[in-house]
Amino acid sequence: MKQFGTILKFELKGYLRNKVFVGITIFLVLAIAVVMFIPNIIAAFDSDEGTDTVPTDRPVMLIYAEDEALASLVSTYFEASFPEYEVKIANGGIDELKGEITSGEAECAFAMSSPASYTYYVNNLSMYDSNMAVADTVLQEVFRIGAMVENGIAPDVAGEILSVQIESQSETLGKDQMQNFFYTYIMIFALYMVILLYGQMVATNVATEKSSRAMEVLVTSAKPTSMMFGKVLASCIAGFSQLVLVFGTAILLYNVNKEALSNPLISSIFDIPVELFLYLILFFVLGFLIYAFMFGAIGSTASKLEDINTSVMPITFLFIIAFMVVMFSMGSGSVDNLAMLVCSYVPFTSPMAMFTRICMSTVPWYEILISVSILVASTLGIGILAAKIYRVGVLLYGTPPKLGAILKTVFKKQ
C-alpha cells in the first residue's frame, strides 16, 4: 500500500508539473468564461452604441397588386405577421418595384397576381430567409376568409373559425429524450475525449520510462500491481479533476449569467439531474480505468516510443466503435435497440452505452446493477492482468512481442 501511495503521489506531481496539462486546463477555463460572458459583453456594446447613435429604421417590404383592395388587405395582414418589416403598398409597376429593391430602398417585395398567387422579389436571397413560408401561411388564411365571406359567412365569424387555438398537453411517464439529448451528448463526448487523451498519455509514459531503462530498476523494487494501479489512478484523478474544473466553471458562470443566457437549449444543457451526474461519475471512473489499464499494458510491450500509436490502435478502434454505436443510436432516437442492449453489458462499451440509456430511456434497476457489476469485475480483472503484462513487457526489448507469447509468459507458473 505504501508503494502504491508513493507511485500515485509521484505521478500526480508529474501531471501538475506538466506545462501542457496545466496550460490546456487554464485555456479551457478561460474559454468557458469568455463564452459565458458573451451575452453580457454584446449587451454592453449595444448599450454604448445606443447612447451615441440613432436606431436604424426597419427594412421596407413592398406589396404590389393591380387590385388595390387586394394590396390593402394583404398589407394589413402582413403588418401583423412581419413586425420586423415596414410594410408598404408599392407605387408604380413591377419595374419600379424591382428598381427600389436593387437600389436598397426596399429589402423585398410581394407582387400579388391573385389572392392565392404571388411572386417574391429579393435582391440577395439569404439561406435563412423564411418570408415565403410565413407569407404562404398568412395568404392561406386570407384566401379562406375571403371564400367564407363569398359564401355568406360574416368576416368576424370566419376569422374566429380559422384562428381557433387547439389546447393540448403531454405527460411524460419516462424520460424526455429531447430535453436530455444535449447534455447526454456533451457528457459522452467529454468521456470519449478524456479516455482517448489520458489513455494514450498512460501508454506513452510507460513506453518512455521503458525506453529510458528506468523501469528495470523500479520493477524490481516495487510490485507491478502497485505501479500499474498507481499510474492509472493518477491519470484518472488528473483527468477527472480537469473535467470537474472545466464543467464546474461552466456551471458556476452559467448561474452568474443565468438571465443573460435565458435560452431553452442552454438551460437544458445545464439543468442536469443530480442522479444522472452521479451516474456520470460512476461510469466515467470505471470506463476510464478499464481502458487506461489496457493502454498501460500495451505501452509496456512497445520497444520504442514510435511504436505506441500502432500498438494501441486496436484499443482505440474498439473505443471508437463503441462511441459510434452510441452516437448513431442517439441520432436515430432509439437508444434501446439490440446493439445498445448488447453494448450495455459488454465492459468495453457499457460506460457509454448504459449511461446513454439511463439518460434517454427508462432502464430497470437490475439491468443497471448487472451492467455495473460486470464492469467492476472486468475492471479489476483487467487491472490485475495488465499489471502482470506490465511486469513482463517492460523487460522485453527488440522486436515487439506477440500478445500470445506475453500471455503465455504471464500465466506460466513462476
Side-chain angles (χ1 to χ4, degrees), residues 54-301:
V54 179
T56 57
D57 295 333
R58 292 178 298 168
V60 174
M61 174 186 287
L62 297 176
I63 306 297
Y64 170 81
E66 294 183 0
D67 185 351
E68 295 183 2
L70 176 60
S72 178
L73 179 63
V74 171
S75 65
T76 301
Y77 276 88
F78 276 24
E79 284 177 359
S81 302
F82 294 98
E84 68 275 18
Y85 286 97
E86 182 181 356
V87 181
K88 293 183 178 180
I89 297 176
N91 296 318
I94 295 295
D95 293 335
E96 289 82 355
L97 179 145
K98 292 180 180 179
E100 290 186 52
I101 293 175
T102 53
S103 65
E105 297 179 31
E107 183 173 299
C108 58
F110 287 89
M112 308 297 303
S113 55
S114 72
S117 177
Y118 68 85
T119 301
Y120 179 62
Y121 294 98
V122 63
N123 195 26
N124 296 307
L125 182 62
S126 169
M127 61 185 296
Y128 302 108
D129 192 328
S130 60
N131 290 344
M132 293 182 68
V134 176
D136 289 347
T137 302
V138 174
L139 291 174
Q140 281 181 351
E141 183 177 349
V142 173
F143 181 82
R144 289 166 182 167
I145 290 176
M148 290 180 179
V149 170
E150 289 179 1
N151 286 276
I153 300 176
D156 54 343
V157 176
E160 291 177 3
I161 293 173
L162 293 176
S163 61
V164 63
Q165 297 295 321
I166 306 300
E167 295 183 2
S168 64
Q169 60 183 6
S170 65
E171 182 177 349
T172 303
L173 302 178
K175 301 287 179 66
D176 185 346
Q177 291 191 357
M178 182 57 68
Q179 181 181 356
N180 297 357
F181 177 85
F182 295 104
Y183 60 71
T184 304
Y185 180 85
I186 291 173
M187 289 178 180
I188 292 296
F189 191 76
L191 180 63
Y192 171 80
M193 293 299 297
V194 169
I195 287 179
L196 284 186
L197 175 64
Y198 284 94
Q200 186 85 13
M201 196 177 294
V202 170
T204 303
N205 289 343
V206 172
T208 302
E209 292 171 349
K210 179 181 177 180
S211 62
S212 67
R213 302 274 177 163
M215 280 295 116
E216 294 181 5
V217 179
L218 293 175
V219 79
T220 58
S221 59
K223 294 181 178 179
T225 306
S226 298
M227 295 184 67
M228 177 59 74
F229 276 76
K231 286 179 174 296
V232 169
L233 285 177
S235 64
C236 180
I237 293 172
F240 186 70
S241 300
Q242 192 176 54
L243 276 184
V244 169
L245 188 59
V246 172
F247 282 99
T249 301
I251 293 172
L252 176 64
L253 295 181
Y254 167 73
N255 289 318
V256 171
N257 300 278
K258 201 165 187 176
E259 293 184 1
L261 296 168
S262 57
N263 181 287
L265 174 59
I266 297 176
S267 299
S268 69
I269 294 174
F270 286 96
D271 293 341
I272 305 173
V274 177
E275 175 190 0
L276 295 184
F277 190 74
L278 295 177
Y279 276 121
L280 170 66
I281 296 174
L282 174 64
F283 284 108
F284 169 83
V285 172
L286 293 176
F288 184 95
L289 290 177
I290 196 169
Y291 275 95
F293 282 133
M294 290 192 293
F295 275 112
I298 294 297
S300 67
T301 63

